Structure formats: structure tokens, C-alpha cells
Amino acid sequence: MKAALILAAALAAGPAAAQTLSLSGQAGQRVSLTAAQFAALPHAHIQVMQHGQPHAYDGVLLSDLLAKVGAPHGEGIKGRELATVVRVSAHDGYQVVVSLAETDAVTRAAKMIVADREAGAPLKPEEGPFRLVIEDDLRPARSARQAERIEVINLSTMSKTAPANSH
């Protein structure tokens, strides 16, 4: 009976992958962060309006997470790096894409964070443990809940027919 209760609690909590954030870079770099490791990273605070309601989130800057897998930043985002995107995949299969340049403070003042807290408390199970939050989005369509995976992908390496130097 006790074993059945433990199993039921584990299933209700969701899969182990949902408690881990996986990062991958362009050259195959991989980092996996548990919720505890993520919580220990430096956090930023942002306030956003979602569906007409104010929300206050705390989390790690997306650019700081991307640096862990070797993504270029600052003045390093130029030329072919401008064809680099960041794909955030959620537990339910939902995916959003932002350009690498959008994630960097040198290019854009508004912050993008991967949140693990809202209003000072851990995210609700249906929201977290990780959620992409974009400070100046007018609606939260790119605010992927239950984020599990973040990948850096250079689109210029995906197509051999892409022009090398066009604007």
C-alpha cells in the first residue's frame, strides 16, 4: 500500500524531465540544470502584463543560460550569427522561437528570462518549474510554460542554398 502511494505521488508530480532544464548549443555543447541548480543561479526580476493582469516573475536571463552552451553574445552577434535562433520546447510539445540577437542586452533593452518564481513563490505545477517570459511582448504567446529544453540553432548552416552575404 505504501509503495502504491509513493508511486502515485511520483506520477502526479510529473516526469523527471519536467524538473530539469536541458540546454544545447550550436556545436553540440549540452548542459542540464535541475531545479535546485537553476535556483542557485543569479536571478533577474521583471514585471509583465498578461491577459490584462500584472505579473511579477523572477528567473535567469535567457542570455546567461545560452552562455553556458557557448552562444555568442554582445558584439559577437553579427554576420552569420544573426541567423541564429533559440528554440524553447515545453513539456506538452509547444515550441517558440526567438532570434539570438533578441536575447542580448546589447541589441535589445527588454529582458527575456526563464522564470522559476512568480510573485515570490515557485511557479504553479501547470506553469513550471520553468517558464520563458519576455518583458515587452504584448501578449504572452511566446511565454512557454513547463519549458524543458532550450536549443541554439544557426539557420544558415541548415540550408546550402542560403546566400552568404545578403541583407
Side-chain angles (χ1 to χ4, degrees):
M1 176 77 159
K2 188 174 183 180
L5 290 175
I6 292 171
L7 178 60
L11 291 173
Q19 300 298 315
T20 303
L21 183 64
S22 298
L23 311 170
S24 62
Q26 296 177 71
Q29 309 93 319
R30 296 196 184 285
V31 172
S32 185
L33 297 169
T34 65
Q37 291 169 323
F38 187 93
L41 297 173
H43 277 49
H45 178 80
I46 64 173
Q47 292 189 294
V48 296
M49 291 295 288
Q50 293 177 338
H51 305 292
Q53 299 294 317
H55 294 266
Y57 290 100
D58 293 297
V60 178
L61 290 171
L62 181 56
S63 58
D64 289 350
L65 292 171
L66 299 176
K68 292 185 172 302
V69 289
H73 60 278
E75 298 301 322
I77 301 176
K78 59 185 176 190
R80 93 175 194 88
E81 299 307 332
L82 292 171
T84 301
V85 297
V86 177
R87 178 171 56 192
V88 178
S89 301
H91 179 68
D92 64 359
Y94 191 73
Q95 297 181 24
V96 296
V97 175
V98 296
S99 75
L100 178 64
E102 283 183 279
T103 70
D104 197 87
V106 171
T107 304
R108 191 167 176 269
K111 296 176 192 161
M112 288 187 191
I113 66 169
V114 176
D116 62 346
R117 302 184 73 71
E118 181 181 3
L123 294 175
K124 297 173 188 166
E126 65 273 13
E127 301 284 323
F130 309 108
R131 179 180 185 159
L132 177 66
V133 182
I134 302 173
E135 192 169 44
D136 63 350
D137 275 5
L138 298 178
R139 65 185 192 98
R142 298 191 299 173
S143 186
R145 298 181 300 239
Q146 297 181 335
E148 292 183 326
R149 191 171 52 257
I150 299 174
E151 303 162 273
V152 181
I153 304 164
N154 190 294
L155 299 177
S156 67
T157 62
M158 296 180 77
S159 172
K160 295 186 189 269
T161 61
N165 259 342
S166 64
H167 297 294

